[in-house]
């Protein structure tokens, strides 16, 4: 097994997911207290609370010496269903998305859409992509809610590992020393 170099996640999302789980467990406990009154409602509420309980989690990106793993911290993640793995040997570079400048028409279209569809509000917690260009020409996106500074650490670390793989040496010395410098 390769050594873990970097683990990044959103602290806010992590604590919010814990809060949501506690609330769902609380609803399940409250419904169990009224089981004698309405057993059918207990089972429906229990089922409707259990499904989100096992799926709710926060994004996490782990950089190992030879791979990058994106997963979600949830109970389902124990089954390794929500895990994406890409190997450093298969990557040519990593970057963050660069927001393009909007044209006047795009801005006008966004204003019209906002006015016509008020229920379709854009969340302030949008997912930002980390872009990995693979050797075979494919482009892979890791959509995450991790802060831009933490995403930049992931991109820098992956690019350093790619550089080391291609050149047999490092731009900044040892990866461990580099990680200490950016932390």
């Amino acid at each position: 097994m390769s050594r873990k170099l970097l683990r990044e996640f959103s602290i806010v999302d992590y604590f919010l997911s814990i809060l949501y789980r506690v609330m769902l467990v609380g609803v399940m406990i409250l419904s169990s207290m009224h089981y004698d009154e309405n057993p059918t409602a207990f089972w429906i509420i229990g089922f409707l609370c259990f499904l989100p309980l096992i799926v709710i989690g926060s994004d996490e990106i782990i950089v190992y010496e030879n791979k990058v793993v994106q997963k979600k911290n949830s109970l389902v993640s124990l089954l390794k269903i929500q895990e994406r793995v890409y190997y450093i040997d298969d990557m040519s570079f990593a970057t963050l998305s660069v927001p393009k400048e909007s044209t006047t028409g795009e801005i006008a279209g966004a204003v019209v859409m906002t006015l016509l569809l008020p229920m379709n509000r854009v969340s302030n917690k949008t997912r930002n992509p980390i872009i990995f260009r693979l050797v075979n020409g494919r482009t892979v996106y890791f959509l995450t809610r991790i802060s831009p500074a933490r995403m930049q650490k992931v991109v820098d670390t992956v690019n350093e590992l790619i550089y080391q793989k291609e050149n047999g040496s490092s731009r900044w010395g040892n990866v461990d020393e580099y990680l200490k410098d950016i932390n």
Side-chain angles (χ1 to χ4, degrees):
M1 184 161 176
S2 61
R3 187 170 52 116
K4 187 186 301 185
L5 297 176
L6 185 66
R7 177 177 175 243
E8 294 294 342
F9 62 95
S10 171
I11 296 169
V12 173
D13 278 348
Y14 178 74
F15 285 116
L16 281 176
S17 68
I18 290 174
L19 178 68
Y20 293 148
R21 289 177 187 161
V22 168
M23 288 173 39
L24 288 169
V25 168
V27 168
M28 290 172 72
I29 290 171
L30 283 173
S31 71
S32 70
M33 297 168 97
H34 298 283
Y35 177 79
D36 294 337
E37 298 168 18
N38 193 348
T40 305
F42 163 76
W43 288 108
I44 291 172
I45 291 171
F47 180 73
L48 292 176
C49 288
F50 181 73
L51 287 178
L53 182 73
I54 63 172
V55 174
I56 289 175
S58 60
D59 295 331
E60 179 178 33
I61 296 178
I62 305 170
V63 179
Y64 293 93
E65 289 177 327
N66 64 342
K67 63 185 173 182
V68 180
V69 178
Q70 179 189 28
K71 66 180 186 175
K72 193 167 188 124
N73 272 346
S74 67
L75 297 175
V76 174
S77 68
L78 297 175
L79 302 174
K80 307 254 188 232
I81 294 172
Q82 297 177 322
E83 187 173 281
R84 295 173 60 193
V85 178
Y86 291 97
Y87 291 92
I88 300 294
D89 293 339
D90 298 336
M91 295 182 190
S92 59
F93 69 88
T95 185
L96 293 177
S97 69
V98 179
K100 67 175 191 132
E101 292 189 23
S102 299
T103 63
T104 307
E106 289 173 339
I107 293 172
V111 169
V112 169
M113 292 290 283
T114 304
L115 293 174
L116 293 177
L117 303 170
M119 300 304 279
N120 213 6
R121 297 184 185 157
V122 177
S123 171
N124 63 349
K125 299 201 66 173
T126 58
R127 293 177 158 241
N128 301 315
I130 296 177
I131 302 167
F132 296 111
R133 181 77 168 171
L134 302 181
V135 175
N136 64 7
R138 281 185 42 221
T139 302
V140 179
Y141 300 92
F142 278 6
L143 294 175
T144 181
R145 289 190 176 107
I146 297 173
S147 72
R150 291 176 182 258
M151 288 177 15
Q152 188 62 49
K153 279 187 191 179
V154 170
V155 167
D156 290 344
T157 305
V158 169
N159 282 330
E160 174 60 21
L161 290 170
I162 292 169
Y163 185 86
Q164 283 184 6
K165 172 195 69 147
E166 292 174 350
N167 299 317
S169 66
S170 173
R171 290 181 277 197
W172 298 292
N174 190 344
V175 173
D176 293 327
E177 293 172 10
Y178 168 72
L179 288 173
K180 288 177 189 173
D181 289 342
I182 65 172
N183 288 332

